[in-house]
Amino acid sequence: MPGSRSGCQQLGRYESLRTEASLANLAGRDSAALAYARAGQSHEAVADCLASTTTPWLPLYGLGAAVLAGLGAWSFGRARARRESDLAT
């Protein structure tokens, strides 16, 4: 997912500027309220963007974890069977 993080940060900056433009008339001279609204919108946009770019990859990560767990269990079972057969002979 190269480039998704920087793309999401740019989206956050855009949403911050868009919020400032939409609230400019309402906020008046209260710069703290405007900064708070800008930061909130920017954070929400970045979080949504990152979630949408990483969610499609989750099944692949789950499959990889399942394969690793299966291989570990299989090799453990093989080693145990080999030990038991050595003890029996």
Side-chain angles (χ1 to χ4, degrees):
M1 298 173 299
S4 64
R5 182 172 210 118
S6 65
C8 290
Q9 289 173 347
Q10 291 171 358
L11 178 64
R13 285 188 203 108
Y14 170 75
E15 283 297 320
S16 175
L17 292 173
R18 201 176 111 198
T19 301
E20 180 181 2
S22 68
L23 295 178
N25 295 335
L26 297 176
R29 297 191 186 270
D30 191 6
S31 60
L34 182 59
Y36 182 76
R38 284 179 63 187
Q41 282 297 107
S42 176
H43 176 73
E44 185 177 329
V46 170
D48 287 345
C49 179
L50 288 174
S52 68
T53 57
T54 57
T55 300
W57 291 93
L58 289 178
L60 182 62
Y61 296 143
L63 178 65
V67 166
L68 287 176
L71 285 173
W74 177 79
S75 64
F76 181 73
R78 294 283 297 160
R80 188 170 136 206
R82 193 173 295 138
R83 268 191 314 247
E84 288 175 357
S85 70
D86 288 345
L87 290 175
T89 57

